[in-house]
Amino acid sequence: MTAAHGRTYNLAARLLPPSRRRAVHALYGFARVVDDIVDVGAVDDPSGAARQVDAAQARLHAALVGDPGAPDEVGLVVRALAETIGRYGIPIDHFDAFLRSMRMDIPGTPEFRPRYRDMNELREYMYGSAAVIGLQLLPVFDVDDPDAAPYACALGEAFQLTNFVRDVGEDLERGRIYLPTDLWSAFGVDDGLLLHGRRTGTVDPRVRRALSHMIAVTRAEYRRARPGIELLPERIRPGIRAAFTLYGRILDQVERDGFHVLDRRAAVPRRTRAAVVAAAVASGGRQALARTS
């Protein structure tokens, strides 16, 4: 599932020790299953999607007390996640926060937000959809330094903002616009202009300027997160450093593509991904050599 849907995530996870990699796959699997429920069902059958999200939450809580339920796709993922939560002592509150944010994408739920007026509102969504993912990973990585939490949240949000920039067109097709309304309006962009770009494959200069600004905001988030990598155990750093670099390269690719995010999806070339992973591995080797010399 991780290999099929999260190529960058999966590539970085392969640099982790095997036991930690399994935990990362379990975390990703649950997030992926719920995200798919929302992406597929929130437009055509929002009440059905809401029920499925509620059911996934109930099944997770039941699995944590020994009742994982049927071994269907959700059940298998929930079993793996419950084992991971128990093994590493991950607070269940992080998963409840994630599910709350997922409900913010489903019309008809009390949490539903059709749009985000500004970055403060968007960050409320991203706390559950992105920041808590970083917090979930800290116990898996054996990090108990409280100073690491803000960096983990910042990195999760940087990844999420990167996805928002890359996926403007795909999200628009689903009736969603995640980037804040005040950002678009500051550059003279309205929904009609975005829909025109989606239909015609053109990039209006106003859209280009808005996206350029959002990329600058996202890169600032990466800079805020960067010092946290040094708080990780050395065996973990290559994988996180690779993810940090690979996601950042998505923003570079958006720029190289002329900000054509309305009609296509920016992708980092395979040779670039391979080079980044090789560099991360080499960096880890140099650090180990320095430690022993």
Side-chain angles (χ1 to χ4, degrees), residues 36-59:
D36 284 348
I37 289 170
V38 174
D39 281 347
V40 173
V43 176
D44 298 329
D45 183 14
S47 61
R51 288 193 298 271
Q52 288 184 70
V53 170
D54 290 346
Q57 185 170 24
R59 292 184 72 173

Side-chain angles (χ1 to χ4, degrees), residues 6 18 27 64 87 97 104 122 127 130 178-179 184 201 243 246 249 276:
L27 294 172
L64 290 171
R87 178 185 294 266
M104 292 169 76
L122 184 60
Y127 174 74
Y178 287 103
L179 298 181
W184 294 118
L246 287 168
R249 294 290 177 87
V276 167

Side-chain angles (χ1 to χ4, degrees), residues 139-169:
V140 172
F141 296 158
D142 285 335
V143 178
D144 56 8
D145 185 343
D147 291 340
Y151 297 116
C153 290
L155 188 55
E157 291 187 2
F159 290 166
Q160 179 82 93
L161 289 171
T162 300
N163 288 340
F164 288 157
V165 169
R166 180 194 61 191
D167 298 338
V168 170

Side-chain angles (χ1 to χ4, degrees), residues 53-204:
V53 170
D54 290 346
Q57 185 170 24
R59 292 184 72 173
L60 174 59
H61 281 261
L64 290 171
V65 294
D67 180 18
D72 54 12
E73 182 183 51
V74 175
L76 291 172
V77 167
V78 162
R79 290 176 188 216
L81 180 60
E83 194 275 339
T84 298
I85 290 171
R87 178 185 294 266
Y88 295 103
I90 307 172
I92 188 63
D93 290 352
H94 295 337
F95 301 92
D96 291 337
F98 166 73
L99 291 161
R100 179 180 182 277
S101 286
M102 294 303 97
R103 293 186 182 95
M104 292 169 76
D105 284 335
I106 304 176
T109 64
E111 298 89 349
F112 177 59
R113 293 284 186 87
R115 297 289 288 272
Y116 299 94
R117 291 176 295 182
D118 52 35
M119 281 300 295
N120 286 334
E121 284 196 357
L122 184 60
R123 287 188 190 281
E124 180 185 347
Y125 172 82
M126 289 197 300
Y127 174 74
S129 68
V132 296
I133 306 299
L135 297 177
Q136 291 168 14
L137 287 168
L138 289 179
V140 172
F141 296 158
D142 285 335
V143 178
D144 56 8
D145 185 343
D147 291 340
Y151 297 116
C153 290
L155 188 55
E157 291 187 2
F159 290 166
Q160 179 82 93
L161 289 171
T162 300
N163 288 340
F164 288 157
V165 169
R166 180 194 61 191
D167 298 338
V168 170
E170 291 182 9
D171 290 334
L172 190 64
E173 197 71 25
R174 300 186 183 107
R176 298 179 194 156
I177 300 177
Y178 287 103
L179 298 181
T181 302
D182 67 351
L183 164 76
W184 294 118
S185 60
F187 290 91
V189 178
D190 59 18
D191 292 6
L193 194 61
L194 293 173
L195 289 166
H196 176 76
R198 177 70 176 171
R199 288 194 306 270
T200 63
T202 58
V203 184
D204 187 279

